[in-house]
Amino acid sequence: MDWAKAKNILIFMFVLLNFLLFVTIITLFKSDNISREMVNDTYKILGNRGVVVKCDIPLYNKEMGTLISTNIDLDKDLIIKGFFGAAKYEEEASDGVVKAFCGNKRLIIEKVNTFVYNNIEPEEGNYLTDLKKVQNYLADLFKTMKVPFEKFYFDKMEKTEDGQIKYIFRQKKGEFWLYSNYVEVTVSEKGITYLKYNNRKPKEITGGKKIMPAYQVLVKNLTEDKGTIIDKIDLGFGEQFVGNDTKVVDDIPVWRITAKNSEKKVERYFKVYNGEEVKLNDK
């Protein structure tokens, strides 16, 4: 038997099968309905490319618009008191940004929407030993500051290189995640070392347009991602980065794909209208 010839035939058949599956998906994309067959074909195409999908591929295929949000005014005095208590502190302001210092504690408070707290040597002791305690602590803290924390949900937890635990909470509007409305808090054995709050008040979703379903986004974009393992796919809105700035007009609708490649976890965002990959203000 001519093994070299047989090998070439097998390679040709494999490439042809992958091409036929791809053509099938593209043809079915024109339909408004998403069938189980279409989704199963997507798993096969990605598998042939070395991409493993360990989660369900969402079937959401309705029209979506952009999210209109408004700024949230922050009370700097309440925020400073929430972190520093009655202790003496130094304060400086420039262009609407307030910086406050109290021992190892540092605060940066933007005029609207955002503040960041750092403490390289917390001394309060780590009583925040699990997710529920962290969430309850944040709810109580933000209540004293009159900072909105409603409809924020746990999104993910990570362990940092130095052994600290990072928790990220994000807001939701209905079934959609608001990726740019988040609270990130890092906890060491001694207490909170870092906390960032970023939030704009969501108002309404306007201007609905037909979207590109998740399976089409996967087939279009994951072409050179061999070794990637996809753990989660979800849908929401976020502030898009344009160059080094954040475009804060309307929050655009995006698919989020959470994946792991070479033990590194990544989150990638794709516009729902055309599948274009974008960067968001998400941390």
Side-chain angles (χ1 to χ4, degrees):
M1 180 181 289
D2 189 340
W3 289 107
K5 184 177 181 181
K7 181 179 178 182
N8 288 334
I9 292 174
L10 288 173
I11 292 174
F12 173 77
M13 292 177 63
F14 176 80
V15 172
L16 179 62
L17 176 60
N18 198 40
F19 174 75
L20 290 174
L21 285 172
F22 180 76
V23 170
T24 300
I25 289 289
I26 294 300
T27 301
L28 291 172
F29 284 161
K30 298 178 180 179
S31 170
D32 289 334
N33 298 318
I34 301 177
S35 69
R36 177 51 54 187
E37 180 183 3
M38 297 159 74
V39 173
N40 288 340
D41 285 344
T42 301
Y43 284 110
K44 292 177 184 177
I45 290 175
L46 295 177
N48 290 338
R49 296 174 181 174
V51 177
V52 177
V53 182
K54 287 190 172 182
C55 63
D56 291 334
I57 297 176
L59 303 180
Y60 192 91
N61 196 26
K62 300 178 182 178
E63 290 189 349
M64 289 186 69
T66 55
L67 175 66
I68 296 176
S69 301
T70 57
N71 290 330
I72 294 175
D73 293 323
L74 301 173
D75 188 322
K76 74 173 183 66
D77 294 325
L78 289 178
I79 294 173
I80 291 173
K81 184 177 180 181
F83 285 110
F84 296 169
K88 292 183 178 181
Y89 63 90
E90 298 179 8
E91 179 183 333
E92 58 185 51
S94 176
D95 297 326
V97 178
V98 173
K99 296 182 180 180
F101 311 91
C102 180
N104 292 320
K105 301 176 182 179
R106 303 287 188 272
L107 257 176
I108 300 177
I109 307 171
E110 303 284 346
K111 186 176 181 180
V112 294
N113 305 330
T114 306
F115 60 83
V116 180
Y117 167 78
N118 285 277
N119 188 356
I120 58 174
E121 289 292 338
E123 299 176 351
E124 63 268 26
N126 184 11
Y127 52 89
L128 304 175
T129 54
D130 58 45
L131 171 62
K132 188 171 183 60
K133 290 180 179 178
V134 171
Q135 195 161 12
N136 289 340
Y137 170 83
L138 292 175
D140 291 340
L141 177 66
F142 294 147
K143 185 177 181 180
T144 65
M145 299 176 179
K146 296 184 178 180
V147 170
F149 192 56
E150 296 81 11
K151 297 182 180 178
F152 275 77
Y153 298 90
F154 173 70
D155 185 30
K156 64 179 180 178
M157 178 177 66
E158 302 173 353
K159 192 169 185 178
T160 64
E161 293 182 356
D162 57 358
Q164 300 185 69
I165 305 298
K166 179 192 298 183
Y167 300 88
I168 296 180
F169 301 85
R170 299 191 196 277
Q171 196 174 30
K172 276 189 169 184
K173 183 174 177 61
E175 61 187 304
F176 303 117
W177 286 99
L178 305 184
Y179 301 117
S180 298
N181 288 8
Y182 60 88
V183 175
E184 178 181 329
V185 57
T186 303
V187 182
S188 73
E189 294 180 351
K190 296 181 179 180
I192 293 176
T193 58
Y194 178 85
L195 188 153
K196 182 176 182 181
Y197 178 94
N198 191 79
N199 187 19
R200 298 173 70 225
K201 185 177 181 180
K203 302 294 285 186
E204 59 180 333
I205 300 172
T206 62
K209 295 194 297 184
K210 183 178 175 60
I211 73 168
M212 180 180 288
Y215 68 95
Q216 182 177 358
V217 172
L218 292 169
V219 172
K220 175 182 178 180
N221 288 281
L222 300 185
T223 57
E224 303 291 336
D225 297 88
K226 185 176 181 180
T228 295
I229 300 173
I230 298 174
D231 296 317
K232 184 169 66 172
I233 305 168
D234 48 38
L235 182 62
F237 298 87
E239 299 171 10
Q240 181 184 356
F241 273 121
V242 179
N244 294 323
D245 299 319
T246 304
K247 183 180 179 182
V248 191
V249 182
D250 298 335
D251 287 15
I252 62 170
V254 292
W255 288 107
R256 176 176 67 167
I257 296 174
T258 303
K260 182 170 64 175
N261 197 327
S262 301
E263 300 304 318
K264 182 180 179 181
K265 268 210 165 186
V266 295
E267 290 182 340
R268 300 172 65 183
Y269 297 94
F270 302 88
K271 290 182 180 179
V272 301
Y273 301 132
N274 58 12
E276 175 190 352
E277 187 165 8
V278 294
K279 294 186 179 298
L280 297 187
N281 170 24
D282 66 339
K283 57 185 175 180

Short mmCIF file of all heavy atoms in Angstrom, two decimals, residues 3 27 31 50-51 68 96 103 149 177 192 198 202 207 234 241 247 250-251 275 278 281:
data_model
loop_
_atom_site.label_atom_id
_atom_site.label_comp_id
_atom_site.label_asym_id
_atom_site.label_seq_id
_atom_site.Cartn_x
_atom_site.Cartn_y
_atom_site.Cartn_z
N TRP A 3 1.47 4.32 1.41
CA TRP A 3 1.06 5.03 2.62
C TRP A 3 1.11 6.55 2.44
O TRP A 3 0.28 7.28 2.99
CB TRP A 3 1.94 4.63 3.80
CG TRP A 3 1.68 3.22 4.25
CD1 TRP A 3 2.46 2.12 4.06
CD2 TRP A 3 0.52 2.77 4.94
NE1 TRP A 3 1.88 1.01 4.59
CE2 TRP A 3 0.67 1.37 5.15
CE3 TRP A 3 -0.65 3.39 5.39
CZ2 TRP A 3 -0.28 0.59 5.79
CZ3 TRP A 3 -1.60 2.61 6.04
CH2 TRP A 3 -1.43 1.24 6.24
N THR A 27 -24.19 29.16 5.45
CA THR A 27 -25.49 29.11 4.79
C THR A 27 -26.62 29.26 5.79
O THR A 27 -27.59 30.00 5.58
CB THR A 27 -25.66 27.79 4.03
OG1 THR A 27 -24.62 27.66 3.07
CG2 THR A 27 -27.01 27.74 3.31
N SER A 31 -30.49 32.35 8.30
CA SER A 31 -31.77 32.07 8.95
C SER A 31 -31.83 32.76 10.31
O SER A 31 -30.82 32.93 10.98
CB SER A 31 -31.94 30.56 9.14
OG SER A 31 -33.05 30.27 9.96
N GLY A 50 -8.78 22.82 17.01
CA GLY A 50 -8.08 22.67 18.28
C GLY A 50 -8.64 23.51 19.40
O GLY A 50 -7.96 23.75 20.41
N VAL A 51 -9.89 23.98 19.24
CA VAL A 51 -10.54 24.79 20.27
C VAL A 51 -11.60 23.94 20.96
O VAL A 51 -12.48 23.36 20.31
CB VAL A 51 -11.20 26.04 19.64
CG1 VAL A 51 -11.95 26.84 20.71
CG2 VAL A 51 -10.16 26.91 18.96
N ILE A 68 -27.96 53.38 27.06
CA ILE A 68 -27.73 54.77 27.46
C ILE A 68 -27.58 54.83 28.98
O ILE A 68 -28.44 54.32 29.72
CB ILE A 68 -28.89 55.68 27.00
CG1 ILE A 68 -28.96 55.69 25.47
CG2 ILE A 68 -28.71 57.09 27.53
CD1 ILE A 68 -30.12 56.47 24.92
N GLY A 96 -10.72 68.32 39.22
CA GLY A 96 -11.88 67.56 39.65
C GLY A 96 -11.57 66.22 40.28
O GLY A 96 -12.47 65.52 40.75
N GLY A 103 -1.78 57.54 56.34
CA GLY A 103 -0.87 56.44 56.61
C GLY A 103 -0.58 55.65 55.35
O GLY A 103 -0.16 56.20 54.33
N PHE A 149 -24.98 50.05 44.81
CA PHE A 149 -24.45 48.70 44.70
C PHE A 149 -25.58 47.71 44.38
O PHE A 149 -25.40 46.52 44.49
CB PHE A 149 -23.73 48.31 46.00
CG PHE A 149 -22.91 47.05 45.90
CD1 PHE A 149 -21.91 46.92 44.96
CD2 PHE A 149 -23.12 46.00 46.77
CE1 PHE A 149 -21.14 45.76 44.86
CE2 PHE A 149 -22.36 44.84 46.71
CZ PHE A 149 -21.37 44.72 45.75
N TRP A 177 -25.20 41.43 31.29
CA TRP A 177 -24.12 41.94 32.12
C TRP A 177 -23.74 43.34 31.68
O TRP A 177 -23.77 43.65 30.47
CB TRP A 177 -22.89 41.04 31.99
CG TRP A 177 -22.99 39.74 32.71
CD1 TRP A 177 -23.30 38.52 32.17
CD2 TRP A 177 -22.75 39.50 34.09
NE1 TRP A 177 -23.28 37.55 33.13
CE2 TRP A 177 -22.94 38.12 34.32
CE3 TRP A 177 -22.38 40.32 35.17
CZ2 TRP A 177 -22.79 37.53 35.58
CZ3 TRP A 177 -22.23 39.73 36.42
CH2 TRP A 177 -22.42 38.37 36.62
N ILE A 192 -8.10 44.26 53.20
CA ILE A 192 -8.26 44.76 51.84
C ILE A 192 -7.04 45.58 51.43
O ILE A 192 -6.68 46.55 52.09
CB ILE A 192 -9.53 45.61 51.71
CG1 ILE A 192 -10.77 44.74 51.90
CG2 ILE A 192 -9.59 46.32 50.36
CD1 ILE A 192 -12.06 45.51 51.88
N ASN A 198 -16.34 51.31 39.78
CA ASN A 198 -16.61 52.02 38.53
C ASN A 198 -18.05 51.74 38.13
O ASN A 198 -18.45 50.59 37.96
CB ASN A 198 -15.66 51.55 37.42
CG ASN A 198 -15.74 52.44 36.20
OD1 ASN A 198 -15.16 53.52 36.17
ND2 ASN A 198 -16.45 52.00 35.16
N PRO A 202 -27.36 52.89 34.51
CA PRO A 202 -28.00 52.47 33.26
C PRO A 202 -29.42 53.00 33.17
O PRO A 202 -30.18 52.96 34.14
CB PRO A 202 -27.99 50.94 33.35
CG PRO A 202 -27.97 50.65 34.82
CD PRO A 202 -27.19 51.77 35.45
N GLY A 207 -32.60 51.61 19.99
CA GLY A 207 -32.07 51.39 18.65
C GLY A 207 -31.74 49.95 18.33
O GLY A 207 -30.61 49.65 17.92
N ASP A 234 -21.10 34.81 27.40
CA ASP A 234 -22.28 35.55 27.85
C ASP A 234 -22.41 36.84 27.06
O ASP A 234 -21.58 37.16 26.20
CB ASP A 234 -22.27 35.78 29.36
CG ASP A 234 -20.96 36.31 29.89
OD1 ASP A 234 -20.34 37.13 29.18
OD2 ASP A 234 -20.54 35.91 30.99
N PHE A 241 -12.99 50.98 24.53
CA PHE A 241 -11.76 51.75 24.46
C PHE A 241 -11.50 52.15 23.00
O PHE A 241 -11.61 51.32 22.10
CB PHE A 241 -10.56 50.94 24.96
CG PHE A 241 -10.35 51.03 26.44
CD1 PHE A 241 -10.37 49.89 27.21
CD2 PHE A 241 -10.14 52.24 27.06
CE1 PHE A 241 -10.16 49.96 28.58
CE2 PHE A 241 -9.93 52.32 28.43
CZ PHE A 241 -9.95 51.18 29.19
N LYS A 247 -14.41 55.41 25.21
CA LYS A 247 -15.54 56.04 24.55
C LYS A 247 -16.75 55.92 25.47
O LYS A 247 -17.33 54.87 25.61
CB LYS A 247 -15.83 55.35 23.22
CG LYS A 247 -16.97 55.98 22.42
CD LYS A 247 -17.17 55.21 21.12
CE LYS A 247 -18.32 55.81 20.32
NZ LYS A 247 -18.56 55.05 19.07
N ASP A 250 -22.48 55.75 24.47
CA ASP A 250 -23.41 54.68 24.79
C ASP A 250 -22.60 53.40 24.96
O ASP A 250 -21.58 53.21 24.31
CB ASP A 250 -24.44 54.49 23.68
CG ASP A 250 -25.31 55.72 23.47
OD1 ASP A 250 -25.45 56.50 24.44
OD2 ASP A 250 -25.83 55.90 22.37
N ASP A 251 -23.06 52.52 25.85
CA ASP A 251 -22.40 51.23 26.01
C ASP A 251 -22.83 50.31 24.87
O ASP A 251 -24.02 50.14 24.60
CB ASP A 251 -22.79 50.60 27.35
CG ASP A 251 -22.13 51.30 28.53
OD1 ASP A 251 -21.62 52.42 28.35
OD2 ASP A 251 -22.11 50.71 29.61
N GLY A 275 -19.27 40.99 14.89
CA GLY A 275 -18.28 40.06 15.41
C GLY A 275 -16.89 40.64 15.57
O GLY A 275 -15.94 39.92 15.89
N VAL A 278 -13.21 43.88 20.25
CA VAL A 278 -12.99 45.22 20.81
C VAL A 278 -12.44 45.10 22.21
O VAL A 278 -12.53 44.05 22.86
CB VAL A 278 -14.30 46.05 20.83
CG1 VAL A 278 -14.78 46.34 19.43
CG2 VAL A 278 -15.38 45.32 21.64
N ASN A 281 -13.57 48.92 28.83
CA ASN A 281 -13.20 49.35 30.18
C ASN A 281 -13.87 48.37 31.13
O ASN A 281 -15.00 48.58 31.58
CB ASN A 281 -13.68 50.78 30.42
CG ASN A 281 -13.54 51.20 31.86
OD1 ASN A 281 -12.72 50.67 32.61
ND2 ASN A 281 -14.36 52.14 32.28
#
